Amino acid sequence: RYVLASLIFLAVHYYFLGCFIPCLSVKQWLYIIAVGFFGIFLYNLMFLWAEKLISGNIVAIIYAFAPCLITILSSYIFKMKVNIQAKLGILVALLGTIGVVMFSAGGDMAQCLNGIEISLGEVLSVLAVICFAAYAILGKCCVREGVHMITINTYGAIVGMIMFAIVSAFKSDFSALAHTDVEFWGSMLYISAFATVIAYVWYLGALEEIGVYKTAVFQNMLPFFVIVIGFLF
């Protein structure tokens, strides 16, 4: 996925900025490496591992806490004032997504209130939220340092690809690729182009245009779309 995404990002980077390797300071490169580590490598590792262990709906519930965490961190780090209406709006949206997903899955409120059991999948989901919050904050820091959002995305993806390559060298069986078909590679191309390149470019573009916490609020739509798209497929 990230090999394909990195190649697409490099082409996009050259098209918009006229170069493959930008001239950046050490501090700017360190920010980009941090974005790749938290936002690409650790986030995807935790998120996909969690989805392997527990329902995607449950992962989406926990992920819905990301806007709250991002808002809290950004208000502290960037000294941003968040009014009471915004705080209440995020809280209501969070409670709403939890309710929608729980009852759509046939959850029993009384059973939920009687006892709480935390599984490894839920812990990984929380860690994924923390990693994504770090990605959002570091991405904004990169923008403030004057790094173009396409550069952040391109080299963040390349850093993530390198880290995944190191892990894959020890954990993956690449001989399985010989048994893949056109449908597999079509799916990989779709995930690389749309879910990685376009989604990440638009996300950091939103951070640049409207700020961290306003962008984060829209993430509350994720559980709803997870349910709808999951039902359709």
Side-chain angles (χ1 to χ4, degrees), residues 18-191:
C19 66
F20 287 112
I21 303 176
C23 184
L24 303 176
S25 67
V26 173
K27 185 178 181 180
Q28 289 172 326
W29 278 116
L30 287 174
Y31 270 127
I32 288 176
I33 291 170
V35 165
F37 179 72
F38 287 102
I40 305 296
F41 176 66
L42 271 187
Y43 164 69
N44 279 286
L45 196 67
M46 299 300 170
F47 190 86
L48 295 174
W49 190 0
E51 283 204 321
K52 186 178 179 180
L53 297 175
I54 59 177
S55 166
N57 287 348
I58 304 301
V59 177
I61 289 176
I62 299 171
Y63 184 82
F65 182 69
C68 301
L69 182 59
I70 291 170
T71 301
I72 293 167
L73 291 174
S74 61
S75 63
Y76 176 75
I77 294 170
F78 302 124
K79 309 299 180 185
M80 296 169 60
K81 292 183 178 180
V82 182
N83 59 39
I84 188 66
Q85 289 92 340
K87 292 176 181 177
L88 288 173
I90 292 172
L91 179 61
V92 169
L94 173 61
L95 294 175
T97 53
I98 291 174
V100 167
V101 178
M102 178 166 50
F103 288 113
S104 69
D108 184 351
M109 179 66 76
Q111 186 178 356
C112 293
L113 294 175
N114 285 335
I116 299 175
E117 294 182 3
I118 300 176
S119 67
L120 176 59
E122 289 162 342
V123 172
L124 292 169
S125 298
V126 172
L127 291 175
V129 168
I130 294 170
C131 290
F132 193 85
Y135 161 74
I137 299 299
L138 289 165
K140 183 64 177 179
C141 290
C142 269
V143 170
R144 286 193 165 193
E145 287 293 321
V147 185
H148 197 282
M149 65 171 183
I150 293 177
T151 300
I152 300 169
N153 278 295
T154 300
Y155 286 92
I158 291 172
V159 168
M161 178 193 69
I162 293 169
M163 291 176 178
F164 273 123
I166 294 170
V167 173
S168 297
F170 296 97
K171 292 290 185 179
S172 298
D173 179 13
F174 288 99
S175 64
L177 290 175
H179 306 291
T180 56
D181 54 16
V182 174
E183 185 179 354
F184 169 83
W185 288 106
S187 299
M188 289 305 302
L189 184 60
Y190 173 84
I191 292 170

